[in-house]
Amino acid sequence: MIKYIVIDDEPNPRELLIFSIESLGLPYQLVGEAKSLLEGVDLIRKEKPDVVFLDIQMPEHIGLKIKSFLNEEEFDFKLIFVTAYDQYTIQAIRLSAFDYLLKPIEHTELAECLERIINEKKTENTYQQLKTIENQNVIVIKSHEGTYFINIHEILSITADGMYSKFQLKDKVILSSKPLKMYEQIHVKLYRCHRSHIINLDQIEKIEGQNVVLKDHQQYPVSRNYKTDLVEALKGRFDD
């Protein structure tokens, strides 16, 4: 059984999430619930859960501060953020490759999240993932070979490869297990120039017609509906 706890200051959403998890009939066992972050930290130390569902918006201490109360060795669990929609917060969470559930939680999304946890072979380094939220120039790339923590400045481009994404770095290529759409709008330097390509604005050497040339001399097509925004984003870069 997969042991889990729920940390949320509001009793109704907390109870609804627990009811929804139990109703799916998956191998999950509730070992505790908490109404504050500090209470949840004590519960984590006591019960040593496999999964923690953590609300972000809570009084006293927001969920994102959990790293301040546990040391790296104690982060031996999968962390799932639960939050009402907030673009900045979701961007930070996505950038750090955390799973998250948006309130009100949809039954299908919850089921998919729980299934992913069951099928994952090992727990990611939650502590390191939390550090990426503090460092907005680091992105987490999940691949079949493992999890990589990559600085944005090392990324040249990201190209769609079926349901996967190919990261072209300065010194290697990483095939991510996530589709290209997962990497849209997660960092101001990563710009989608085509339905199949995202490029790093800092790596652009020049624009030639409907193509953009990067510093490694690779060329990528620019869709007409993206070109105006791209030129605006690069305004002043190539002026004499």
Side-chain angles (χ1 to χ4, degrees):
M1 296 291 285
I2 298 173
K3 299 188 298 181
Y4 76 95
I5 68 173
V6 177
I7 306 172
D8 193 325
D9 63 298
E10 298 183 81
N12 289 341
R14 190 171 67 239
E15 292 168 7
L16 179 58
L17 175 56
I18 294 169
F19 173 80
S20 299
I21 293 173
E22 299 298 318
S23 68
L24 289 168
L26 297 172
Y28 282 80
Q29 177 187 1
L30 178 69
V31 294
E33 51 184 296
K35 60 180 181 296
S36 71
L37 181 59
L38 294 184
E39 186 179 316
V41 166
D42 289 339
L43 197 56
I44 289 169
R45 289 188 171 122
K46 177 183 177 183
E47 299 294 343
K48 295 180 171 48
D50 302 302
V51 184
V52 174
F53 293 89
L54 176 62
D55 184 36
I56 292 179
Q57 292 87 3
M58 292 188 293
E60 296 186 27
H61 303 286
I62 64 172
L64 292 173
K65 293 294 184 180
I66 188 172
K67 180 173 159 289
S68 302
F69 301 101
L70 293 170
N71 60 47
E72 186 168 1
E73 291 71 28
E74 292 175 308
F75 275 96
D76 190 24
F77 54 85
K78 176 77 172 178
L79 182 59
I80 311 296
F81 283 116
V82 182
T83 180
Y85 184 77
D86 175 83
Q87 185 59 43
Y88 175 79
T89 302
I90 294 303
Q91 179 173 321
I93 292 171
R94 289 180 65 191
L95 188 67
S96 307
F98 277 105
D99 274 330
Y100 63 90
L101 296 168
L102 291 177
K103 294 180 179 181
I105 298 172
E106 294 186 4
H107 189 79
T108 301
E109 289 185 358
L110 175 61
E112 290 176 352
C113 177
L114 298 181
E115 290 285 359
R116 278 197 302 272
I117 294 170
I118 293 172
N119 294 326
E120 285 182 350
K121 292 182 174 61
K122 62 179 182 178
T123 302
E124 303 296 349
N125 191 322
T126 303
Y127 185 85
Q128 291 298 324
Q129 286 177 281
L130 283 167
K131 286 181 67 175
T132 66
I133 292 181
E134 298 174 352
N135 181 357
Q136 290 298 290
N137 283 325
V138 175
I139 185 172
V140 180
I141 305 174
K142 289 188 175 182
S143 76
H144 294 302
E145 287 75 37
T147 301
Y148 299 85
F149 296 84
I150 303 297
N151 193 291
I152 290 293
H153 304 303
E154 294 298 311
I155 300 171
L156 299 176
S157 64
I158 314 171
T159 299
D161 189 351
M163 290 303 294
Y164 299 93
S165 301
K166 183 173 68 175
F167 278 75
Q168 180 63 57
L169 307 182
K170 291 180 179 179
D171 59 350
K172 61 185 172 183
V173 174
I174 298 175
L175 187 64
S176 166
S177 55
K178 302 286 187 181
L180 191 67
K181 66 180 181 179
M182 292 296 293
Y183 299 105
E184 280 191 280
Q185 300 178 349
I186 60 171
H187 196 279
V188 67
K189 294 297 183 181
L190 297 179
Y191 179 83
R192 189 160 191 169
C193 65
H194 185 272
R195 66 179 182 178
S196 299
H197 304 287
I198 293 174
I199 55 174
N200 187 334
L201 294 177
D202 284 345
Q203 297 298 325
I204 294 176
E205 183 71 30
K206 58 184 175 179
I207 297 176
E208 291 183 343
Q210 287 300 126
N211 293 304
V212 61
V213 182
L214 300 190
K215 292 178 180 178
D216 67 344
H217 307 301
Q218 293 294 317
Q219 295 190 26
Y220 297 87
V222 180
S223 299
R224 293 186 183 277
N225 55 327
Y226 289 114
K227 187 172 182 180
T228 300
D229 289 340
L230 177 60
V231 171
E232 184 64 26
L234 296 172
K235 196 171 183 178
R237 280 271 304 272
F238 304 115
D239 294 345
D240 294 329

